[in-house]
Amino acid sequence: AVLLFTLISISHAAEIAVPRPTPLGAPELLGTMPRDPICESSGLVKGRRHSDKKVFWTHNDSGDSSRLFAVDESGKLLREVTIRDARNRDWEDIAIDEKGRLIIADIGDNRHVHPSIVLYRLPEPDAFNLKEKAGKPQAFHFRYPAGEGPFDAEALIVRGDNAYLFSKNATETRLYKLPLPKKPPKDSIEMQPYPVLSALPTTITAADISPDGLHLALTNYLCISVIDLKVPFEDLPLIREDAESAEAGRRMRVTLLGQTEAVAWDGNDLLLTVEAGSIYHIRNAILKQAP
């Protein structure tokens, strides 16, 4: 049933998309992460602490300890970092904000039984200084709006002082805005439904936003989609019809690489990881706009 709904979603998105200048290129294999200790890469984001080097942060799915792994674009392990005062109930994605802070998303819920989720925010560790410990994370607790949830989710992006959560539904993807203030409040924060960008792919397993906020990458088990915007994601109008008019285009590529769990922008390219640990990239996923 999930496969059927995903295929319908892909077809529907293709029908409503504005003209696409060029489809996404084919994924190319870059390498494989070591199965020990990275048994299931479930999130991926490019680090910003070392701008002259390619560092990507990933983590395992549920059942692992609270730790992050720094890898290069070929999957070579650079460092393992323990995250203190955090619990890996079901870490499903990782993002980075404009201040260089990592946000770990404990958002998975396959059985739809958890009444809340947690986001952990901490400064990006040093991928090359093995003696430096990770900073203590801030924990933000979120609850679902009245009458909604709990649901499973595997995809999250961050822009400014807000995170944006994509539900992993087989019929319709829901989008929520999660405010991230300077300090976590004592009580949980209610998620805010964010009614923009209709006809999103379903069964979303990963998401990432380009540093300028203009290119949203989404994956599921069958394809990767890129939504190009005329304004940064956080500036999209809240009225759905107006938000749709702010799209510059949609592009898609059927991948069929296996269980694709993570996606990350690397300049104009995209990196993808699958559950088995392979890393792929798609060249020139961001197109230069004509003047």
Side-chain angles (χ1 to χ4, degrees), residues 4 16 23 28 38 132 142 146-147 149 157 166 196 205 212 233 254:
L4 176 61
I16 68 163
E28 302 172 14
I38 309 175
E132 180 189 277
F142 294 91
I157 63 172
F166 299 83
V196 298
T205 58
D212 60 9
F233 182 88
V254 175

Side-chain angles (χ1 to χ4, degrees), residues 65-86:
S65 60
S66 300
R67 54 181 176 168
L68 296 177
F69 308 99
V71 298
D72 66 12
E73 70 273 23
S74 70
K76 178 183 177 181
L77 180 63
L78 303 175
R79 188 187 178 195
E80 176 183 325
V81 181
T82 297
I83 308 301
R84 298 167 294 164
D85 301 311

